[in-house]
Amino acid sequence: MVQPVPASPPSRLRTAALAPIGEEGRIELVEARIVQAISVGAFSEGERLPSENELSALLGVAVVTVREALGALRHRGLIETRRGRNGGSFVRPSHGAVEEVNAQALMVMPRVALADLGVLYEAIAAACAEYACQRATPEELDIVALVLERSRDLDRVVWRRRVTEVQLELAALSQSVRLTNEHVRVQTEFTPLLALQDIDRDARMQTHEALVTQIRATRAGDEDAARSAVRETVRASVRWLVEFRAELLAAPRDGGLRGTLEARRREG
């Protein structure tokens, strides 16, 4: 039985995922950007990607660059192309393949760059949390809290998508357009790595509870508690990723990455 395609996440997530690349428009960067968009849930399994011409305009690169990047993604099993009137490039149900791509990205990222990304995300998210304490309404927080509560027992892939939506909505409650846009941009870069952490159910639930704490603090107007909840969860995530990166790098070259991921999945 064919499962229904889930509803698309908020448009700002998709907009950030497909922001213009500009002069750096190499095939590898286009490929990485599309993988990133799939990883953060901007496009769900079974969903059609924008056309080659649309992607070219969105990313600010030549159509031929997009075409070659899509060909590479087909070869990696991340998308499939269907012909005909309703054809196009569609996201395949290949979370394992996306996970391997994200793990490879973590391995090649220098440890100092990972820590720096965490610092940037922490600073922006904490600033958004502070202003949300001053500006969010009880009704807005009720909606976000309900989405979070309903996500608790979901499959980890769907859970990550819902939690990302919650994090973006909490940032938007700051009512600062510049802060929110920067939060979306950095979240789009960081989320594919955070999705690796979701293999660990304990770590996933710690993230969940930190968001519960942040919403509670925001409702009470407690800026210190809201900032603290953000900082603790981001730092815990960076520590987890640093340790996992070391584990991946220590694994045997032949099949080590896939074996490490499979072992982690069994544990989680």
Side-chain angles (χ1 to χ4, degrees), residues 241-261:
L241 289 168
V242 166
E243 292 174 2
F244 188 52
R245 176 180 177 274
E247 183 179 342
L248 289 170
L249 291 172
R253 285 178 176 270
D254 186 15
L257 184 150
R258 184 167 298 177
T260 301
L261 287 171

Side-chain angles (χ1 to χ4, degrees), residues 183-211:
H183 188 286
V184 173
R185 187 189 68 78
V186 179
Q187 175 113 28
T188 303
E189 182 179 357
F190 201 26
T191 293
L193 301 179
L194 295 176
L196 292 170
Q197 182 188 358
D198 298 339
I199 300 172
D200 184 334
R201 191 178 190 283
D202 289 342
R204 193 163 73 244
M205 288 301 99
Q206 287 173 11
T207 297
H208 195 105
E209 291 307 317
L211 284 169

